[in-house]
Amino acid sequence: RTKRTRRGSNITELKKLKKPQLDYSKVTFEVELIDKEKALEYLETNFENNRKIRSSTVAQIVNDIKDGNFHLSWDCLAFNEIGQLVNGQHRLSAVVVADVPCHFHVLRNIDHSTVKHFDIGNKRNQADRIAVHGTPMHPKACTVIKASFGDWDSNFTGKGRYGYAKYDDLIAAYYKRHSEYFEQLEADGYLRTKYIGNFVASAFKILLK
């Protein structure tokens, strides 16, 4: 009787796990050139419980747009089945501020129940981005280079200021120039977490002098 009860319970649990199949027949996908007016129009449809817009994120994207470092991304602007904006509010806000038209992939009629699954993947860190462009480097070497750029009496840290995509080429150039140094650091174990900080960054800063 106990085994039957457990088996029946398991079947019930499996039934609970089964969810209705979503209908994707009305989903559309296209590339749009979006200017300030269109961005404002789309932002008017932003759904009420979307996350709060972070001004620092918008400012970073604005800088990328103005510097020519903003490109067509596979991360779509997304609208749910009733036309509400569910993804892309920061980028659209940046288009408004920069007042520069930008291309976007636009996804429409996505079921709103899927929104909670957005933005949960592993985001590329700066070392990953640099590696994609042909300069494989240890993530902690990237951290050391950025830290070495900071001034000791400054209110900002090099790691914070130089973490944006527009500095990727600069960091890659420093790494290429001193690759043997970083390869030796890695071989000797100095790129392990316990050594990251002022110790290794200071050593590299001295080397640059």
Side-chain angles (χ1 to χ4, degrees), residues 45-208:
T45 71
N46 203 1
F47 83 100
E48 184 178 356
N49 294 324
N50 206 343
R51 58 186 175 181
K52 184 178 179 181
I53 293 178
R54 296 186 295 272
S55 58
S56 58
T57 299
V58 173
Q60 177 187 337
I61 300 172
V62 169
N63 287 336
D64 287 341
I65 292 174
K66 292 184 175 181
D67 291 342
N69 293 320
F70 186 82
H71 307 285
L72 180 66
S73 168
W74 53 74
D75 185 12
C76 303
L77 303 184
F79 296 85
N80 64 18
E81 68 273 30
I82 61 173
Q84 293 176 318
L85 176 71
V86 294
N87 190 52
Q89 59 178 349
H90 286 90
R91 285 169 289 163
L92 288 172
S93 297
V95 168
V96 172
V97 175
D99 196 10
V100 176
C102 296
H103 284 94
F104 293 91
H105 282 113
V106 181
L107 189 68
R108 298 183 186 277
N109 297 316
I110 192 71
D111 193 289
H112 192 82
S113 64
T114 65
V115 174
K116 64 182 179 181
H117 301 291
F118 292 174
D119 296 333
I120 60 173
N122 291 326
K123 185 178 181 180
R124 282 190 177 94
N125 59 36
Q126 191 167 25
D128 292 333
R129 294 198 307 264
I130 293 172
V132 166
H133 287 280
T135 308
M137 65 188 305
H138 195 291
K140 294 180 179 62
C142 181
T143 300
V144 168
I145 294 172
K146 289 187 292 184
S148 71
F149 290 162
D151 295 323
W152 308 126
D153 58 350
S154 174
N155 291 326
F156 63 83
T157 64
K159 289 185 291 183
R161 180 170 183 177
Y162 293 94
Y164 302 115
K166 64 182 179 180
Y167 295 112
D168 288 359
D169 290 343
L170 174 66
I171 293 170
Y174 270 81
Y175 182 82
K176 288 177 181 177
R177 195 178 308 159
H178 303 285
S179 59
E180 292 184 4
Y181 173 81
F182 284 107
E183 288 168 2
Q184 190 61 53
L185 280 181
E186 185 173 1
D188 293 341
Y190 285 104
L191 294 184
R192 295 174 184 170
T193 303
K194 65 179 181 178
Y195 289 110
I196 290 302
N198 291 336
F199 174 73
V200 183
S202 297
F204 184 61
K205 198 174 183 72
I206 292 171
L207 175 67
L208 294 179

